[in-house]
Amino acid sequence: MNPIKKEKDELRALYLEKRRNMDAGEKSCRDEAICRAALGLISFRYAEFVLLYAATDDEIDVSEIAEAAWKSGKKVAFPRCEKVSHTMTYHFVSSLDELKVDSYGIREPSPDAPVYDPAVETGSAVCFVPGLLYDKSGYRLGYGKGFYDRYLSEFSGCKIGVVYSDYVMPEVPRGRYDVSLDVLLTEKGVKPIRKP
């Protein structure tokens, strides 16, 4: 097995278990603090398009960000994953109720919902990216499928990593296709990433 993949898999198993064992009350408080911090981001305040994710039970819940974005007149999109090609497209929705559970247990927009196309929608955009672990250089350890790395390599807006502060490491193992994000968003606030 590739040594980087082996190291990623071991870290993934360890931190997934840790996150699943987090007290529900503590998780709720930390998630709310992350959403509050997001609303103070200049890139969020000025964004016309907000790309979010529908959290699973053990991911950081960012639904408050969606509600705030709709309230301030922004367009909000959620991803649909193509399992065969491992690609992802974002589709606009106007309510969380429009998301339906897919075969993997992930809530997604309808394939008929309008697609966010950055070539057409040229206004400023932010993408909130889930991750299990991040490092101080903005690299993430996701769930191993590569959907986000493929998408983010082509995304020119502000890329925001959503993570608990104690899940930020000095360095995560990375491969050549891994993409560094612009900002880390934790329950303790916002950390811009300094690019070399």
Side-chain angles (χ1 to χ4, degrees), residues 4-20 132-133 140-146 149 167 169 173 178:
I4 290 177
K5 183 179 185 328
K6 184 174 186 291
E7 192 180 353
K8 282 184 173 185
D9 286 348
E10 287 169 357
L11 277 170
R12 201 173 277 124
L14 179 69
Y15 278 88
L16 268 172
E17 184 68 19
K18 183 180 172 187
R19 200 163 70 180
R20 284 179 181 146
L132 192 52
L133 291 171
R140 65 189 275 279
L141 181 70
Y143 302 95
K145 301 286 188 276
D149 289 316
Y167 287 59
M169 303 174 65
D178 293 337

Side-chain angles (χ1 to χ4, degrees), residues 51-131:
L51 279 52
L52 281 166
Y53 64 91
T56 58
D57 288 344
D58 58 354
E59 286 182 316
I60 296 167
D61 183 359
V62 291
S63 51
E64 278 183 41
I65 301 173
E67 299 294 354
W70 282 313
K71 198 177 282 186
S72 58
K74 302 179 190 301
K75 293 181 176 174
V76 180
F78 285 84
R80 276 189 66 81
C81 297
E82 297 302 327
K83 312 303 190 281
V84 177
S85 62
H86 285 250
T87 57
M88 200 163 66
T89 51
Y90 279 84
H91 296 253
F92 292 116
V93 295
S94 53
S95 161
L96 293 170
D97 295 336
E98 293 176 35
L99 304 176
K100 303 296 178 213
V101 178
D102 75 355
S103 57
Y104 284 77
I106 297 166
R107 290 175 298 146
E108 292 190 329
S110 158
D112 302 327
V115 174
Y116 165 69
D117 179 355
V120 177
E121 280 97 14
T122 54
S124 60
V126 292
C127 183
F128 289 88
V129 183

Side-chain angles (χ1 to χ4, degrees), residues 8 131-142 149 161 163 167-182 184 193 195-196:
K8 282 184 173 185
L132 192 52
L133 291 171
Y134 276 90
D135 69 18
K136 293 179 176 173
S137 300
Y139 287 93
R140 65 189 275 279
L141 181 70
D149 289 316
V163 63
Y167 287 59
V168 179
M169 303 174 65
E171 190 172 327
V172 297
R174 64 181 83 138
R176 60 183 174 154
Y177 298 113
D178 293 337
V179 175
S180 170
L181 277 63
D182 303 308
L184 293 185
I193 302 297
K195 301 290 180 180

